[in-house]
Amino acid sequence: MGTLGRAIYTVGKWIRGTGQAMDRLGSTIQGGLRVEEQLSRHRTIMNIFEKEPRIHKDVFVAPSAAVIGDVEIGHGSSIWYGSILRGDVNSIHIGSGSNIQDNSLVHVAKANISGKVLPTIIGNNVTIGHSAVLHACTVEDEAFVGMGATLLDGVVVEKHSMVGAGSLVKQNTRIPSGEVWVGNPAKFLRKLTEEEIAFIAQSATNYINLAQVHAAENSKTFDEIELEKMLRKKYAHKDEEYDSMLGVVREIPPELILPDNILPNKAQKAVAH
C-alpha cells in the first residue's frame, strides 16, 4: 500500500470510528427506548481460497443456509434454512431437483482411515431430510435419506433406496437399490414398495414447488409484505352469508392465493365441483 493508499485508509478509519462513537452517544441519549441493530456477517454463498460455488440460477438457497467453496448445484434444487454445504477440502455435487432440508450438514473428506479422497455426490430428485449429516458419501438419483440420519465416509445409497430417520450408516456401506435400511448401525429392514418409490419422486416434486414459493416470499420488498398483511387482515374475517345478503362479491387478491401444487386438497375440491 502506497502513501496515498495509507492516507485514504486512515481517513476512512477515522470516519468509521466517528460514526461508531455517534451511534453509541445516540443510544445512550435514547436510553431504554433505543433499538440496537446488529450487523450480521453471515454470507449465504461464500468462496474459500480459489474455490467458488457454482449454483444454477433457479436454485433456492435459504437466507440462513451456507454454501461454501467447491459446491455445484443443479437446476430446481433447494437448500433449506440452516443447512451447511462445505466444499473446502473436496467437492460437493448436487444434481437437479434435489432438496437438502433444514439444518442438514454436507461435508467432504480429504483423507480418512481407508486412505480415500472422497467428495460428496448427491444425484437428481433426491430428498435429504431435516438435520441429516452426509460426509464424503454418494446418494444416487431418487433416493431418500430420512430426518436426522448420518451417512459416513464411503457410503453409497443406490437409486430408489431409503435410509430411515435417525439411522447411522457406517463407513463404506452400500445400500442396494430398492431397499430400506434403518438403525444404528443401519441394517437391511425390507424392500421398498412401489408406492414408496413413487413417494420419493413426489417428495422431490413437492419441494421443487415449495422452494418457488419460499424464493418468491424471500424476494419481496418491505412495502409488498406490508400490503399483503393489510390484505390478509381485510379478508380474514369476511362472512360469506352476510355478503350474499348484501349482494357483495369479494374476490381474494391473487397475491394471497397459493398455487394448487402447494395446496393439493384445493385442487381436488376444484375437480370435485
Side-chain angles (χ1 to χ4, degrees):
M1 184 184 297
T3 303
L4 179 60
R6 285 196 297 272
I8 293 173
Y9 176 83
T10 301
V11 171
K13 184 177 180 180
W14 288 342
I15 292 172
R16 294 182 67 185
T18 302
Q20 292 169 359
M22 292 180 66
D23 181 65
R24 288 193 295 270
L25 176 61
S27 297
T28 301
I29 293 172
Q30 287 181 323
L33 298 176
R34 71 179 183 272
V35 177
E36 295 186 1
E37 298 181 8
Q38 300 296 326
L39 175 64
S40 173
R41 298 185 181 275
H42 172 74
R43 285 186 284 170
T44 302
I45 300 170
M46 189 179 91
N47 298 359
I48 185 165
F49 311 121
E50 76 287 354
K51 300 175 180 178
E52 179 180 357
R54 302 173 305 284
I55 302 173
H56 195 276
K57 62 182 181 181
D58 67 359
V59 169
F60 168 64
V61 180
S64 58
V67 179
I68 304 165
D70 190 1
V71 180
E72 182 176 6
I73 307 175
H75 71 87
S77 291
S78 52
I79 313 300
W80 292 81
Y81 304 92
S83 293
I84 298 174
L85 281 61
R86 180 155 59 92
D88 46 6
V89 297
N90 212 318
S91 63
I92 297 171
H93 176 84
I94 299 173
S96 303
S98 294
N99 58 90
I100 313 297
Q101 295 176 15
D102 314 70
N103 296 318
S104 293
L105 171 64
V106 181
H107 193 222
V108 291
K110 183 176 182 180
N112 51 30
I113 295 175
S114 61
K116 295 180 179 179
V117 179
L118 296 170
T120 293
I121 301 172
I122 299 171
N124 302 323
N125 301 317
V126 171
T127 291
I128 306 297
H130 312 285
S131 300
V133 177
L134 279 65
H135 197 272
C137 59
T138 297
V139 182
E140 296 182 355
D141 298 350
E142 296 183 13
F144 187 100
V145 177
M147 294 182 288
T150 299
L151 278 57
L152 298 181
D153 297 32
V155 166
V156 177
V157 181
E158 293 185 1
K159 184 175 182 178
H160 293 157
S161 56
M162 180 180 291
V163 178
S167 299
L168 172 65
V169 186
K170 295 192 301 182
Q171 288 183 338
N172 301 317
T173 300
R174 176 176 286 270
I175 298 178
S177 178
E179 295 187 0
V180 181
W181 284 48
V182 299
N184 182 3
K187 297 180 180 179
F188 171 73
L189 176 65
R190 59 176 174 80
K191 291 285 189 178
L192 276 167
T193 65
E194 292 297 325
E195 291 77 12
E196 288 169 330
I197 291 174
F199 166 76
I200 293 174
Q202 186 59 49
S203 173
T205 300
N206 291 344
Y207 263 88
I208 291 171
N209 295 329
L210 188 58
Q212 293 173 1
V213 174
H214 279 258
E217 288 295 314
N218 278 281
S219 67
K220 287 177 180 176
T221 65
F222 177 79
D223 290 339
E224 289 173 329
I225 293 170
E226 289 299 305
L227 174 61
E228 289 192 10
K229 284 169 62 177
M230 181 271 293
L231 290 173
R232 286 194 178 94
K233 184 176 181 180
K234 178 179 179 180
Y235 288 93
H237 304 291
K238 69 175 184 177
D239 187 323
E240 293 183 2
E241 183 176 352
Y242 179 80
D243 286 349
S244 66
M245 291 174 62
L246 297 177
V248 174
V249 178
R250 300 178 192 259
E251 293 186 2
I252 298 177
E255 296 89 346
L256 303 185
I257 301 175
L258 287 173
D260 290 347
N261 54 21
I262 304 301
L263 299 175
N265 292 336
K266 175 184 167 186
Q268 293 172 5
K269 289 179 181 178
V271 172
H273 288 123

